Amino acid sequence: MSKTATLEIDGNRYEFPIIEGTENELGIDIKALRGVTNGVTTIDPGYKNTGSCESAITFLDGEKGILRYRGYSIEELAEKADFLEVAYLLIFGELPTAVQLEKFDKDIKEESHVDEDMKKILDGFPKSAHPMGVLSSLTSALIAFNPGSVDVDSEEEMYNAIVKILAKFPVLAAWTMRKRKSLPLDYGDSSLGYVENLHKMMFARPNKTYEPNKLVYDALDKLLILHADHEQNCSTSTVRIVGSSHAGLFASLSAGISALWGPLHGGANQAVIEMLEAIKADGGDTAKYINKAKDKNDPFRLMGFGHRVYKNFDPRAKIIKKSAEEVLGDLGIEDPVLDIAKGLSSVALEDEYFVQRKLYPNVDFYSGIIYRALGIPTEMFTVMFALGRLPGWIAQWREMRLRKEPIGRPRQIYIGENHRTFKTVSER
Ligand code: SDX
């Protein structure tokens, strides 16, 4: 028997269907609300209670700390898959066969050149430009050099645009980092795997032999998998709403990169390390910073803590914390900020303020410690997040387009002036 919800307004009762997802989530379908109630809408700042779509890509349960991509647990994928397999899974819905994976990899490698004129655009940025701003701009600029990637309606046209951006994005990310270090722009090596090639493009030096390092590749691969998708977060919702105007994949991704940049979202991984460094410089006084985080009059927040959906441990944070300890151990690195992070976390998890608000470490709390151990500059941390999230954004954009979702256009409740007539300057 299908469920319904009843709404009563001014004595009138309205029934709305309740849809049930495959994990028993319930959503009141209010598509007819405005029409049957003569204009009544809902209001939900930050969309804390509002679903924007039905999606088959990622399932997460914030209360139980569950995260699955296309039904596979994040724990299994982080342990057993590689990033390109997970990208294929998210975008096309199934783990690839060996033949499918080989073709996907080959199609991406075919597209891994970037138009030389793109370097002129990169040259226009000062070295001090934040890499996320550069990357968002370069991603948008790619459209001019790949006009066929905009007006894509067929699955084949979408596939071509998808392999192009999967191929070129890591090049642009590596170029963004190398530009800041005044290094020659590198194309890497198409004989390498996706993550290995990314690492080589980022770290190869013209005057040194590049040393492959499987430990580093494995750590990077796992981090990218853990960041690959997270259902309707801020940047993914941005990608979907920009894509809903048919602006094209690259334009949608450029907007998503800008949304991810914010310190409340993906920018938190950079903010966490800056916070931990500040605590270290301040003598490691974690209690002082916990109190600052709790003080309503202090704008300071414990970066890397709290989450809109997870009201339990972020399952990714658990894996990343363990991986941070392993990577630092394997690389023989002693990083005092890891101890400060662990100290901060254990104090916060015992503190009533955080317990009552169900604030736990999120994906960003420990990730920067690994990026740092891998030699990635702090200002590049959110670019690493974007590299991981790329297949998730693509998958969500493709799902929205294939489902022919309508253009996103929320309503509002107007609280401004009522009608008034114009007054000339002399009358004011
Ligand atoms: C990501 O959505 C996703 O899935 C995102 C993400 C993904 O994979 O895409 O998981 C990636 O963005 C992770 C989050 C990274 N951001 C941070 O670490 C920044 C610090 N965290 C907060 O700013 C905050 O927790 C948010 C933004 C993550 C969530 O904010 P909400 O859901 O809007 O919650 P809120 O701001 O309404 O906070 C509820 C209460 C408030 O206190 P009261 O007004 O009830 O007294 O909790 C407090 C907040 O002041 N609070 C914090 C806090 N986070 C929330 N207090 C101190 N430190 C914090 N970090």
Side-chain angles (χ1 to χ4, degrees):
M1 203 267 276
S2 71
K3 300 182 176 75
T4 60
T6 304
L7 191 59
E8 183 168 336
I9 303 173
D10 296 339
N12 299 313
R13 293 165 68 87
Y14 306 91
E15 293 237 322
F16 298 95
I18 289 180
I19 57 170
E20 185 166 359
T22 50
E23 289 291 341
N24 310 117
E25 295 165 307
L26 300 179
I28 303 171
D29 179 343
I30 58 165
K31 284 199 280 293
L33 175 65
R34 232 179 147 267
V36 299
T37 61
N38 193 23
V40 175
T41 65
T42 61
I43 190 91
D44 185 18
Y47 310 111
K48 294 192 175 188
N49 306 280
T50 300
S52 60
C53 62
E54 293 171 79
S55 178
I57 299 170
T58 290
F59 170 71
L60 60 87
D61 181 321
E63 281 65 35
K64 295 180 186 150
I66 292 171
L67 174 57
R68 298 188 198 127
Y69 297 160
R70 300 284 190 180
Y72 296 95
S73 78
I74 192 68
E75 291 80 4
E76 266 216 290
L77 291 170
E79 205 49 48
K80 299 174 183 171
D82 74 26
F83 180 60
L84 203 59
E85 276 180 300
V86 170
Y88 188 99
L89 169 68
L90 283 166
I91 296 167
F92 303 110
E94 296 296 337
L95 285 168
T97 62
V99 170
Q100 289 167 330
L101 188 56
E102 190 185 345
K103 179 183 185 306
F104 192 49
D105 186 36
K106 179 174 163 296
D107 292 346
I108 290 169
K109 287 189 163 99
E110 275 301 304
E111 290 294 345
S112 57
H113 62 285
V114 172
D115 194 292
E116 278 298 292
D117 285 343
M118 282 288 289
K119 294 179 180 176
K120 293 175 186 153
I121 298 169
L122 180 58
D123 283 342
F125 286 96
K127 284 193 178 57
S128 57
H130 194 287
M132 285 296 276
V134 175
L135 191 59
S136 175
S137 307
L138 293 180
T139 302
S140 187
L142 265 182
I143 299 167
F145 299 94
N146 299 275
S149 67
V150 180
D151 190 12
V152 290
D153 282 316
S154 74
E155 284 210 51
E156 188 195 355
E157 288 168 331
M158 287 184 195
Y159 180 82
N160 294 336
I162 287 168
V163 293
K164 277 188 195 311
I165 196 66
L166 281 169
K168 301 178 196 298
F169 196 74
V171 179
L172 298 181
W175 284 6
T176 301
M177 180 169 125
R178 296 176 75 90
K179 168 82 183 172
R180 294 170 67 83
K181 294 172 174 282
S182 304
L183 284 167
L185 302 182
D186 190 301
Y187 265 103
D189 173 352
S190 58
S191 69
L192 296 176
Y194 192 86
V195 172
E196 291 86 337
N197 188 38
L198 167 67
H199 187 269
K200 182 169 183 182
M201 287 191 285
M202 290 172 73
F203 290 98
R205 293 289 180 271
N207 58 330
K208 288 182 187 167
T209 308
Y210 174 75
E211 297 294 339
N213 183 327
K214 188 172 179 327
L215 274 176
V216 170
Y217 294 156
D218 290 349
L220 209 41
D221 200 271
K222 186 176 281 190
L223 276 169
L224 295 175
I225 288 171
L226 291 167
H227 285 82
D229 194 54
H230 214 242
E231 53 126 287
Q232 304 312 316
N233 59 83
C234 179
S235 55
T236 299
S237 300
T238 302
V239 169
R240 285 184 83 121
I241 202 163
V242 171
S244 72
S245 76
H246 291 201
L249 175 57
F250 296 8
S252 307
L253 293 172
S254 175
I257 295 164
S258 295
L260 187 70
W261 189 359
L264 295 188
H265 191 14
N269 59 14
Q270 174 177 343
V272 166
I273 287 293
E274 289 164 352
M275 171 187 74
L276 295 173
E277 284 290 2
I279 294 172
K280 187 177 117 202
D282 198 359
D285 185 354
T286 47
K288 172 180 168 187
Y289 286 84
I290 291 277
N291 291 330
K292 278 169 65 69
K294 292 158 60 176
D295 179 355
K296 285 295 159 211
N297 300 317
D298 190 327
F300 175 80
R301 284 200 153 183
L302 204 54
M303 300 314 277
F305 249 76
H307 198 278
R308 171 62 56 76
V309 179
Y310 288 123
K311 300 308 171 191
N312 194 323
F313 241 91
D314 181 333
R316 302 165 297 176
K318 273 187 190 169
I319 300 170
I320 293 174
K321 180 184 177 193
K322 183 168 171 286
S323 180
E325 287 159 346
E326 288 164 359
V327 168
L328 267 62
D330 293 343
L331 296 176
I333 295 172
E334 284 284 320
D335 187 348
V337 299
L338 176 57
D339 297 330
I340 293 175
K342 288 199 274 190
L344 205 57
S345 172
S346 56
V347 171
L349 292 175
E350 303 285 316
D351 184 291
E352 184 46 33
Y353 173 94
F354 293 88
V355 170
Q356 190 235 322
R357 290 167 180 80
K358 298 183 179 176
L359 303 175
Y360 289 85
N362 60 48
V363 67
D364 294 311
F365 192 65
Y366 292 104
S367 55
I369 291 164
I370 303 179
Y371 291 141
R372 209 152 93 128
L374 300 182
I376 294 166
T378 305
E379 66 278 352
M380 284 290 293
F381 288 1
T382 314
V383 168
M384 299 313 294
F385 194 141
L387 282 159
R389 187 54 51 90
L390 181 63
W393 285 334
I394 291 169
Q396 300 273 350
W397 169 85
R398 180 174 180 272
E399 179 180 72
M400 176 274 303
R401 288 299 310 274
L402 292 179
R403 288 170 59 95
K404 301 193 182 322
E405 307 250 337
I407 186 168
R409 201 268 183 232
R411 308 296 301 218
Q412 64 164 26
I413 298 297
Y414 177 70
I415 56 170
E417 295 286 343
N418 299 115
H419 181 255
R420 47 185 177 165
T421 50
F422 183 78
K423 288 189 178 63
T424 61
V425 174
S426 58
E427 289 169 323
R428 289 172 205 159

